[in-house]
């Protein structure tokens, strides 16, 4: 990185409002309690940010949290659709409230008619100022400062007009309004690498620091970019064109490269002159140019020798084992094994949906993984949502055997789908990985690939802005540009105001939070 990273532990947070950008982009599911609420399906990303929240409160800060959830803005129509059950933040606030024994209050979003963006600045989103017009945020901030609540959890930042339009006036206005709510900005969202308003623009308007999770992720990323060798990388994906830059740079850095998914299918099509259903010709040409005809890649690429072919993209509804259907008679051949050694120019294949588990018995594959000192996995090897599990499970088992050896590798799992399937399909290995100091689970797999593509984490705008020298005069000048929020709007400490949060939130309770009470919660969890 070009400069020193400004860290949360280096700043005095006493009595300061801290705006914290987290990456709590989690999947919501219906609660099994029948109460009509949604709950988080996997809390890994939320749990990973708790040390930063604890550090802020223990050091005297008062946190306002914000995250994006999903992609509510349609790329074609520019229309933002707000759906609390699908991409709201109230379920996350409830989880934190239950986990930490305090209230994370959530301002209600007023019902509105979504617009399709006919006007220049109207992307159909909500305005930050709406929460101050009715006194909602003034009440919450007063409660926050008085320690009657533990924190404020803002609505999905991608519901706000301008969040993804930082270069436009609506984005600049949103950045100023965010900055005017707080004294300090902390970015703990390594998984959100795009320079949006909530990750980049607001960081230029406030004293800005990296949270503890951001620091851990950056350190892990450094160890990927400066690996102990031999270094084995496993990369899979559904499109070559979205990962070709990453593949080129991974190939330069690693000692052995293993591919999966459509990327591997495109490679096989290009190398052996075969046709595989579901593989675009564009991907085949990219694979031919950058993978097949690249001598450095060919020297390092290890081919998985046996695959699972299916006549239907969705399979037959079973979970194949050893490349065979588990519910139909043996003569049923709609799912079968395909051997790379048998591929000849002109051969045509149906959908190749997975890697056969027997591939991980291949001598070259076993030797590469067994002797590796660094392993990067950013891959789901098969079409797991349709039951094609064995390629992903087989890979996890092979890597787990390495970590159980007398000389284990440093293993890094990318976030997103890689981590979700790892947890779902190999729960034992996943739990072992959580406790293994030589295994690191990234919260953001896309960011890992982006950093590899650009060469270093310091080239990401969201990291660069945390390392540049701060210009206090310029920051104050930018922050004070015309904004729809005034100091009175933001910090109304009128003693006559009813600061009971229940009037303005869906989820408030009698609980409160102080640094000492949170410390007690943490100690109880650890001791038990």
């Amino acid at each position: 990185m070009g400069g020193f990273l400004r860290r949360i532990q280096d700043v005095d947070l006493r009595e300061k409002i801290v705006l914290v950008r987290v990456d709590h982009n989690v999947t919501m599911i219906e609660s099994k309690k029948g109460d009509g609420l949604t709950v988080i399906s996997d809390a890994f990303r939320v749990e990973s940010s708790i040390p930063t929240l604890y550090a802020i409160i223990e050091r005297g800060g008062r946190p306002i949290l914000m995250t994006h959830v999903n992609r509510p803005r349609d790329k074609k129509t520019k229309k933002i659709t707000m759906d609390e059950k699908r991409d709201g933040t109230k379920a996350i606030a409830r989880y934190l409230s239950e986990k930490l024994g305090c209230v994370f209050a959530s301002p209600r979003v007023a019902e509105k008619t979504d617009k399709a963006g006919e006007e220049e600045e109207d992307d159909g989103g909500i305005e930050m100022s709406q929460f101050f017009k009715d006194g909602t945020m003034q009440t919450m901030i007063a409660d926050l400062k008085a320690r009657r609540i533990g924190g404020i959890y803002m609505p999905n930042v991608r519901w706000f007009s301008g969040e993804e339009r930082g270069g436009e006036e609506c984005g600049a206005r949103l950045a100023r309004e965010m900055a005017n709510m707080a004294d300090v900005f902390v970015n703990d969202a390594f998984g959100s690498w795009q320079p949006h308003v909530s990750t980049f623009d607001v960081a230029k308007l406030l004293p800005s620091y990296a949270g503890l999770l951001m620091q851990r992720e950056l350190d892990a990323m450094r160890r990927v970019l400066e690996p102990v060798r031999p270094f084995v990388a496993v990369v899979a994906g559904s499109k070559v064109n979205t990962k070709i830059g990453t593949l080129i740079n991974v190939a330069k850095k690693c000692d052995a490269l293993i591919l999966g998914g459509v990327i591997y299918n495109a490679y096989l099509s290009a190398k052996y002159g075969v046709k595989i259903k579901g593989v675009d010709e564009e991907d085949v040409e990219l694979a031919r140019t950058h993978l097949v005809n690249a001598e450095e890649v060919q020297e390092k690429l290890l081919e998985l020798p046996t695959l699972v072919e299916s006549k239907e993209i969705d399979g037959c509804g079973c979970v194949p084992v050893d490349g065979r259907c588990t519910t139909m008679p043996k003569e049923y051949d709609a799912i079968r094994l395909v051997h790379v050694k048998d591929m000849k120019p002109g051969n045509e294949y149906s959908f190749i949906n997975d890697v056969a588990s027997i591939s991980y018995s291949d001598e070259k594959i076993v030797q590469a993984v067994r002797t590796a000192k660094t392993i990067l996995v950013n891959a789901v090897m098969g079409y797991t949502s349709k039951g094609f599990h064995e390629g992903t499970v087989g890979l996890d088992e092979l890597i787990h055997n390495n970590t159980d050896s007398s000389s284990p590798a440093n293993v890094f799992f990318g976030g997103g789908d890689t981590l979700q399937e790892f947890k779902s399909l190999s729960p034992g290995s996943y739990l072992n990985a959580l406790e293994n100091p030589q295994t690191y689970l990234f919260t953001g797999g896309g960011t890992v690939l982006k950093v590899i593509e650009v060469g270093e984490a310091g080239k990401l705008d969201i990291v660069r802005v945390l390392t540049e020298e701060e210009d206090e005069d310029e920051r104050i000048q930018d922050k004070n540009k015309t904004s729809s929020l005034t100091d009175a709007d933001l910090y109304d400490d009128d003693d006559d105001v009813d600061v009971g949060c229940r009037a303005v939130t869906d989820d408030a309770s009698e609980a409160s939070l102080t640094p000492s009470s949170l410390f007690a919660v943490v100690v109880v969890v650890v001791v038990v």
Side-chain angles (χ1 to χ4, degrees), residues 53-69:
L53 302 184
Y54 171 72
I56 289 170
I57 296 169
E58 175 63 15
R59 296 170 67 83
R62 313 304 300 142
I64 299 177
L65 276 59
M66 55 183 184
T67 185
H68 79 276
V69 181

Side-chain angles (χ1 to χ4, degrees), residues 446-487:
T447 307
V448 173
L449 297 181
K450 185 64 180 179
V451 172
I452 292 174
E453 181 181 343
V454 300
E456 62 175 282
K459 290 183 178 179
L460 298 182
D461 287 337
I462 65 165
V463 176
R464 177 175 54 79
V465 76
L466 300 176
T467 60
E468 294 175 334
E469 285 192 25
E470 296 184 290
D471 189 326
E472 181 71 16
D473 294 335
E474 182 179 344
R475 187 175 63 229
I476 293 174
Q477 182 179 1
D478 288 343
K479 184 179 176 181
N480 289 338
K481 286 180 180 178
T482 304
S483 173
S484 58
L485 306 183
T486 66
D487 287 342

Side-chain angles (χ1 to χ4, degrees), residues 108 136 139-140 143 498-506 508:
R108 289 194 182 99
T136 295
T139 301
M140 286 189 177
D143 266 4
D498 178 8
V499 292
C501 286
R502 284 170 293 180
V504 291
T505 71
D506 290 338

